[in-house]
Amino acid sequence: AQKVTQTQTSISVVEKTTVTMDCVYETRDSSYFLFWYKQTASGEIVFLIRQDSYKKENATVGHYSLNFQKPKSSIGLIITATQIEDSAVYFCAMREGDTNAYKVIFGKGTHLHVLP
Amino acid sequence: DAGVTQTPRHEVAEKGQTIILKCEPVSGHNDLFWYRQTKIQGLELLSYFRSKSLMEDGGAFKDRFKAEMLNSSFSTLKIQPTEPKDSAVYLCASSLDGSQNTLYFGAGTRLSVL
């Protein structure tokens, strides 16, 4: 069965440091896509970054990067040089690719607090 | 381009009432999702449509929750009858066809059931 688990409920870091948020997933598909989304205090949810399961290189977008460890079914989100405005809830998500039903399953989220 | 539009933004219902939430996906998107968000459970998938066909009906949500996609640009989520435990934020999201495509979320409807 498809499952996404984020064990860190809340993380606090000091501004300008680097933070890593963990996510592990379960799937039987050989092809799948992993996503990270950010939900701001206003409730808006936006896409941040994606990792394709068949790619060995870790995805990077701006100051977001991923640590993809396929044998461990793990996809960590790394934010470098954190800013106050990075304070938000971060969701990990998976979308399987082998079947025709591309439903998207989310983890429960990690609340990041960036302190001055 | 307009994003995903959800109406109403807030809804207050008495226990036992029927409520209908509405969603307009991004133009050209074939996939549409309904999620329920609570602090305890996070984002729970209620329904998933592909090109107007229901692909996932959310299992545990079947009995009182019904989503429909009347045309490619409009979907509704009916909750009948409502219960206080249904109080949550209901989110609609859409994407292009294909598992590599990201979701675009609406602003959500905050439902309070008294």
Side-chain angles (χ1 to χ4, degrees):
Chain A
Q2 192 179 2
K3 188 176 181 181
V4 176
T5 303
Q6 294 178 255
T7 56
Q8 300 158 305
T9 305
S10 179
I11 300 176
S12 293
V13 299
V14 175
E15 190 180 14
K16 299 180 185 176
T17 60
T18 295
V19 64
T20 298
M21 283 174 268
D22 301 329
C23 175
V24 292
Y25 57 90
E26 295 177 25
T27 180
R28 294 178 183 173
D29 279 19
S30 58
S31 172
Y32 50 91
F33 299 85
L34 302 162
F35 305 82
W36 281 88
Y37 289 83
K38 172 183 177 181
Q39 185 172 37
T40 60
S42 67
E44 181 185 21
I45 300 177
V46 295
F47 162 73
L48 292 178
I49 191 169
R50 183 188 91 207
Q51 179 75 40
D52 302 347
S53 64
Y54 55 86
K55 290 187 177 178
K56 292 184 179 180
E57 311 80 44
N58 290 319
T60 298
V61 175
H63 74 145
Y64 302 108
S65 61
L66 297 177
N67 179 18
F68 181 40
Q69 298 184 54
K70 196 170 183 179
K72 295 183 179 180
S73 297
S74 171
I75 184 72
L77 173 68
I78 303 167
I79 306 177
T80 57
T82 51
Q83 303 162 18
I84 300 295
E85 49 266 35
D86 290 325
S87 297
V89 179
Y90 291 81
F91 291 98
C92 177
M94 177 171 64
R95 197 167 192 184
E96 293 174 328
D98 284 353
T99 67
N100 289 326
Y102 304 138
K103 66 181 181 182
V104 185
I105 300 298
F106 286 81
K108 291 190 177 181
T110 297
H111 198 159
L112 175 65
H113 302 270
V114 181
L115 308 171
Chain B
D1 282 343
V4 176
T5 302
Q6 287 190 250
T7 54
R9 291 295 311 277
H10 302 276
E11 179 79 59
V12 179
E14 296 282 340
K15 178 183 173 181
Q17 268 188 288
T18 296
I19 62 104
I20 297 176
L21 309 181
K22 302 168 187 174
C23 175
E24 295 175 47
V26 174
S27 178
H29 282 189
N30 291 325
D31 288 357
L32 185 137
F33 302 79
W34 283 99
Y35 290 91
R36 181 172 80 174
Q37 184 176 26
T38 59
K39 286 188 177 179
I40 295 175
Q41 297 297 335
L43 286 158
E44 300 173 282
L45 180 65
L46 300 175
S47 292
Y48 162 43
F49 292 89
R50 156 153 298 172
S51 300
K52 301 186 292 180
S53 296
L54 183 63
M55 307 298 287
E56 174 74 35
D57 63 4
F61 296 97
K62 278 183 185 178
D63 58 343
R64 296 182 299 106
F65 291 73
K66 183 176 182 180
E68 292 185 312
M69 194 143 190
L70 306 178
N71 57 56
S72 61
S73 58
F74 186 70
S75 177
T76 58
L77 175 66
K78 179 191 289 187
I79 308 176
Q80 179 184 35
T82 51
E83 298 181 6
K85 65 181 179 181
D86 298 332
S87 296
V89 175
Y90 290 82
L91 291 158
C92 178
S94 69
S95 79
L96 290 168
D97 190 4
S99 55
Q100 75 278 13
N101 291 303
T102 65
L103 301 188
Y104 291 77
F105 281 85
T109 295
R110 183 174 293 278
L111 172 65
S112 298
V113 182
L114 308 176

